[in-house]
Amino acid sequence: MLDVAAEAGVSPMTVSRVINARPGVGPDARAAVVKAVQVLGYTPNVAARSLVTSAELRIGVIYSNPSAAFMSDFLTGVYEEASARGAHLILLKGGQGGRPPEAAALKHLIASGVSGLILAPPLGESPVVLQVLRKARLPMAAVGAYDVEGAICVRINDRKAAYEMTRELIDLGHRRLGFILGNPDQAASAERLAGFYAAVREAGGVTTAIAQGDFSFTSGLAAAEQLLDATPSPTAIFASNDDMAAAVVSVAHRRHLDVPSELTVVGFDDTSAAVTLWPPLTTVHQPVRKLAAEALGLLAAQIAGGEPLGQENDRVLEHEIITRLSASPPER
C-alpha cells in the first residue's frame, strides 16, 4: 500500500479509501491510485479491473436461521448473483436459532470496508442488528422483511400465500385445522397467521387450533404434539415452514398416523426439506434463491446509483402452491 501511495503521489489513507470503494477521494486522486494499482500489480487483475470501472462490490451477508434448508437456498442465491456481478462476499453468521451476531462482530464487518449489507431473515428485523448498521449509514437489503426503514425489502406476499394454502385445505373438505406459527419476532409469521385466519373466516364452520413454533424442526415437534393431543385433533396441520411441517410428519409417523389419509400436513417455503421425506410435502413455493439474488441486485444498483440511504424500497416476488402427496381429503 505504501508503494502504491508513493507511485500515485497520495497518502496511504487515500489508497485505502479507493481500494475499499469508500467516498472522500477526488476523481484525479482516484485515477492515480487505480493507475498505480495496475502498474504495481497490488491486487489481482479482476479486482484491478473492477476498480477501474468503479464496479467492485464488497457485500456483507449477515445470516442466522434455524432452517438449514432455507439458508442453503438463500446463500446459493446470493453467491450465484455475486459471481455474475464479480462481487466479493463477506459472510457473518449469527448465533443459534436466529440470534444476531455480537455487536463487536457487526462493527468489525462494517470496518472491513463493505459497500453494502444483505440481511437474511430474521436478522432484517432485528433491532440489535439494525441499530448498529444504521449508524454506519450503509445501503442494506433485507430478505423476507417488512417495512424496514432505510433498507430495501425483498419478499413474497406471505398473507396471500397462507390464505391460498388454507383455502386449498378447506376446499379438500377439512374443517378442523391446526396452524403452527413461526418466529414471533418476524413480520412474516404474523402475516401468514393473518392469511390463515382470513381464509377460515371466509369459509365459516371451521375450527382452529394454534401452536407456537420458531421455524426450527425441534419447535415443530413440540407444536405437533400439542395439536395432536387435542380432542378432537385437527385433520390437517399447516406449518409456517417446511422444517416444522417435516416435524409434524415425524410425530404423525411415531403415533402411527398415516399421512395424508389420517392427517394432512402442508408447509411453507418449498426447500429441499419438502422433498426429502415421505410423503413429499404440499407447500408454498417461496423463491428463496431468487429473493436473495434480487436483494443483491437491487443493493448493487443502489450502491452504483448513489441513492439516498434512507430511501425505502419494497420488492414483492411471486409465490406458488406446490401440490405433492401430503394432502388429501379427510377420512374423519
Side-chain angles (χ1 to χ4, degrees), residues 151-171:
I152 298 164
C153 293
V154 185
R155 58 177 177 82
I156 65 168
N157 187 329
D158 292 278
R159 183 177 301 208
K160 182 180 179 183
Y163 168 86
E164 291 174 358
M165 178 58 82
T166 307
R167 283 297 325 179
E168 291 277 328
L169 297 175
I170 293 170
D171 290 346

Side-chain angles (χ1 to χ4, degrees), residues 31 34 46 88 95 97 109 111 153 180 189 193 201 207 219 239 241 261 277 281 290 297 328:
V34 170
V46 171
H88 178 60
L109 174 64
C153 293
I180 303 179
S189 296
L193 180 62
R201 286 193 301 269
T207 60
S219 74
N241 80 338
S261 64
L277 77 163
L281 288 172
K290 189 174 180 180
S328 72

Side-chain angles (χ1 to χ4, degrees), residues 220-240:
L221 293 174
E225 297 283 6
Q226 175 186 331
L227 293 173
L228 293 175
D229 279 343
T231 303
S233 61
T235 61
I237 295 178
F238 180 5
S240 291

Side-chain angles (χ1 to χ4, degrees), residues 4 7-10 15 18 26-39:
V4 172
E7 176 74 16
V10 299
V15 175
V18 173
D28 292 341
R30 186 178 298 275
V33 171
V34 170
K35 182 177 180 181
V37 164
Q38 290 180 309
V39 169

Side-chain angles (χ1 to χ4, degrees), residues 62 92-95 99-112 117 123 126-136 138:
I62 308 174
L92 175 60
K93 184 178 181 180
R99 291 193 300 274
E102 297 291 334
L106 291 169
K107 292 175 182 177
H108 180 74
L109 174 64
I110 293 166
S112 70
L117 298 155
L123 300 182
S126 166
V128 174
V129 172
L130 293 173
Q131 182 179 12
V132 174
L133 299 186
R134 282 174 179 148
K135 289 182 179 179
L138 285 170

Side-chain angles (χ1 to χ4, degrees), residues 63-68 70-71 93 95 97-99 120-122 186 215 241:
Y63 67 100
S64 176
N65 191 290
S67 171
F70 182 97
M71 283 314 309
K93 184 178 181 180
R99 291 193 300 274
Q186 289 180 242
F215 289 131
N241 80 338

